[in-house]
Amino acid sequence: MPLLKIDNKEVEIENGTTVLQAAGANGIEIPHYCYHPALEIVGSCRMCLVQVEGVPKLQVSCNTIVTDVPKERKVDGKYDMVVHTQNDLVVQERKNILEFLLLNHPLDCPVCDQAGECYLQDYSFKFGSAHSRFDEEKRVRPNEYLGSQIVINHNRCILCSRCVRFTQEISGSSELFVESRGYSSKIAALEDKPLDNLLAGNVADICPVGALLSTDYIHKNRIWNLKKQPSVCQDCSVGCNIDVFYQKDDILRLTPRENHDVNGYFMCDIGRYGFHRFDNIDRVVQPMVRNNGSFDFMGWKEAIEITAELLKGSNGKTAGIVSSFHTNESNYLLGLTIDGLLGSLPPIKDEEITYRSGFRISSERSPNLKGMNDVSGEILEDISSAITSQSIRGIYILDDGVDRELDDSWKTLLDNMDFVIVQTYAMTELAKLAKIVLPGLAPFEREGTITNDQGRVQWLRPSIPIKGESKPDWEILMLVRNALQKDSEQFADLGEVIKRMSDQFPDYAGVSLFKIGAMGIAVNGKNT
Amino acid sequence: MSGFRPVLTEYIQEKDCHTLSFYRSIGGYTALEKVLKLDPIDVTLEVKNSNLRGRGGAGFPTGLKWGFLPKDTKKPKYLINNADESEPGTFKDRLLMNKAPHQMLEGMIIAAYAIGCHTSFIYIRGEFYKESKILEQVLSEAYENNILGENILGSDYHLDVVIHRGAGAYICGEETGLIESLEGKRGWPRIKPPFPAIEGYLQSPTIVNNVETLSCLPHIINRGAIWFNSIGPEKGPGPRLFCVSGRVNNPGVFEEPMGISLEDLIFDRAGGITDNKQLKAVFPGGSSSAILTADEALDVNMDFEELVEKKSMLGSAGVIVMDETVDMVQACLNIARFYAHESCGQCTPCREGTAWLVKMLTRLVAGGGKPSDIDMIFEITDNIGGLIDFSKGSFGKTICPFGEAVAWPVRSFVEKFRNEFIEYLPQERIVA
């Protein structure tokens, strides 16, 4: 292993590591713009120049590779390379590069969405000059749409070409290119192929400055007003790791969170803009019971009592319907509560998409099909004929809020029940048929674990607050179960439910929120 | 230097000198016949021993460059003939392609054989339409006469040569920009390492050599490395095509030994300054070399080392002569404008800095200059091209040498003719 001396710090690193990576791994920040770990190295921004002893020119650290050198070429007899990242020469060079980058920049941070998370802003503040020596006219260009949801502000663009390389290397769709040459260069989309692929939103994330903007977030808020919650995307079974940016009750944007076991650095636009599905839903926030065709509100105590009575009265002839949109814990507790037949709502399927880079959108467009199957016990495929043959009288549905068209067999089935209990957060078609509606939590309110299609258990964390009187789904089910069996467990929190679940299913043995952490863990200790 | 007979351009005055039959009549392709019987390693060694240095501008030793090719690779190797001659003041490769195209082709085949290449490209400047037509003719003659294709001249060596016309960008003469362009991409120079000899065209080992460099090869094979070394200075011998243009009575291409004095070139070969004016300044090696003042120009030989001592370079040996009537500020702006126009725009300093220089110089010429502008030009050029310290070789802040190519000449104008820049500053007026 080569020995690198970087800013008087001795570090041993893997053969073939770049200086930029080695610095990052050792807590030394080397400013850079064009380098992105997922993209080809072009070395064009020149911001990451460092001084390598024995080399006359400053070197771009993104493309300077440290390797073992023969003994006679070692510096001071032991170092394979000696690098300075913070000496006067290097700092002065950063200042020079920043000066060039800012020549034509509008310096409009006060109205720029990137402000607060902008590397041009940060590095200018840290290394740049407070005065401009540029007395000429600035290059001014109007904004342009590159695709239906991406706008470019050319005046802020530093031509790092990350976005162009993204469309070439990650999405493989190559919509973007650099138009013209030299000083006239600008990022453009092909005339007949705008930037409208399902990964397009990522270009706004990887843009190190405020040039590429998502129309969905543009001028909505300031980043420092928002809270950030790491969580998991719930729009397909890949389970991309995300950060949820929210303010009070509102989600403002989702961005991908780096996880090399799941999504790498990116997420798709289905998930990115998926939260808007919940913008205008008909929320259910209080328990309701149907009396003579219309719903009456009631308190939780009463609602749980009525639910338990109905379940008791059916003498075990109740079926449970689990959901691949719900967490492992909720599905698991439904199985425990309904000691009978289990079925599931029809899956939501769509095209499976795999990109050039390997990035994937699963054909299973619910987040937790695998987890649901893992922890619910036996789920019957043809639940309706089983219900008929076993003369089931009642049904408890863990509704997923998806407004699906129910086919006639489901309608007939539900019409023939003595009672239908629906636990839901939205007034869906199913909820409208219910005797009792129990208000659970919407996707960005709920917490729990979900298992992606590769068998990785991940922690779904809540961001926005609970609405009205709704309760966590696992808690509702626990209350129902407690009402049915006086001696059943009282779980103090989600962790206890997970503990109970992991004790029962060997694949989930040892699973805990602590172990799952931000990055998730593989079921049975391995990724399938 | 008396007694020197042109080598590369000996027959260019003859009728039909571009044809195969003519070339054969003066002993053409005999070097190739000889080479095909040799071990490729010995061919490379002969070229190495000749101390031939690249004629494109950088002056890199040709044999050494070939030696960088990986020895045990399963990938194909490529030879690219860089015929994208775009350096202002340089027009020698065009002459060679017009008048001695078979000599160049023979050189290409020799080089290709030496490095083990079976597909070779001629990347020709897009504007050289006439030359590309000549080359097409030359290639078809060569294929018809078993000089290209399978079993060349009865050997078991085969080679195909493809002509690729550039689309007109200066930067595509830079070898990695050229390779990108040849691959059908935007002509953006690549970051090195890897160098083309390891990963070039289609990620395969690639050698890029200039037209004039390749044209030297048949002569090195026929007359030997010792003969080649006997011409001109030790560290960069051989014949060289000097292009003299600007304010001279007899502009043109002159083949002379390396190391001829610049004075001889300008006042003897090129017939002196027009209208008996005074010499003012000279670009010795194309517009990307730093200019020499008249005094410096009259005291220098055209050899790699001497010009580096003068903080300039031999470059493409394109000598551009300026007389006393030339306005150095306007000339400087002209050069800056050219480079700003040709900057590929990839690296920050070059993209932004070249345009800044043009804006500032334009303002200065228009009468809006400020005293601080003059020193600012130094700062900008240094920030584009690096602090130019020849003793340490410390220059270059960009991916390719384009940064230096703009910084050196522009800086040299201000350095050597500062007074002319000051004269452009508006007269200070006392405001009552």
Side-chain angles (χ1 to χ4, degrees), chain A residues 115-149:
Chain A
E117 49 179 8
C118 174
Y119 289 102
L120 194 55
Q121 190 182 43
D122 292 354
Y123 295 145
S124 295
F125 189 71
K126 207 164 168 187
F127 302 107
S129 168
H131 304 282
S132 172
R133 303 191 290 179
F134 185 66
D135 290 334
E136 325 302 327
E137 246 178 63
K138 293 197 182 211
R139 174 183 53 204
V140 180
R141 290 175 177 147
N143 292 2
E144 282 178 291
Y145 276 89
L146 294 179
S148 54
Q149 283 183 301

Side-chain angles (χ1 to χ4, degrees), chain A residues 42 44-46 56-57 63 93 96 101 104 133-137 139 158 178 180-183, chain B residues 186 191 193 341-344 346-348 351-352 355-356 359 363 370 376 379 383 392 395 397 399:
Chain A
V42 290
S44 64
C45 75
R46 316 308 286 178
K57 295 189 210 179
N63 197 47
E93 191 48 41
N96 297 342
L101 288 175
N104 291 289
R133 303 191 290 179
F134 185 66
D135 290 334
E136 325 302 327
E137 246 178 63
R139 174 183 53 204
I158 59 166
V178 180
S180 194
R181 186 170 76 190
Y183 184 66
Chain B
R186 194 181 168 78
I191 189 161
H341 179 67
E342 292 294 347
S343 168
C344 83
Q346 188 180 194
C347 300
T348 308
R351 176 184 67 240
E352 302 294 336
W356 189 1
K359 284 182 178 180
R363 178 165 54 77
K370 294 182 301 175
M376 199 58 211
E379 294 242 0
N383 288 348
K392 291 182 190 149
F395 28 73
K397 292 187 176 178
I399 288 175

Side-chain angles (χ1 to χ4, degrees), chain A residues 398-418:
Chain A
L398 199 48
D399 190 10
D400 50 25
V402 177
D403 236 338
R404 44 163 80 73
E405 293 269 315
L406 287 175
D407 61 28
D408 288 343
S409 65
W410 273 92
K411 277 196 180 133
T412 323
L413 195 75
L414 295 174
D415 281 346
N416 289 334
M417 290 294 124
D418 288 349

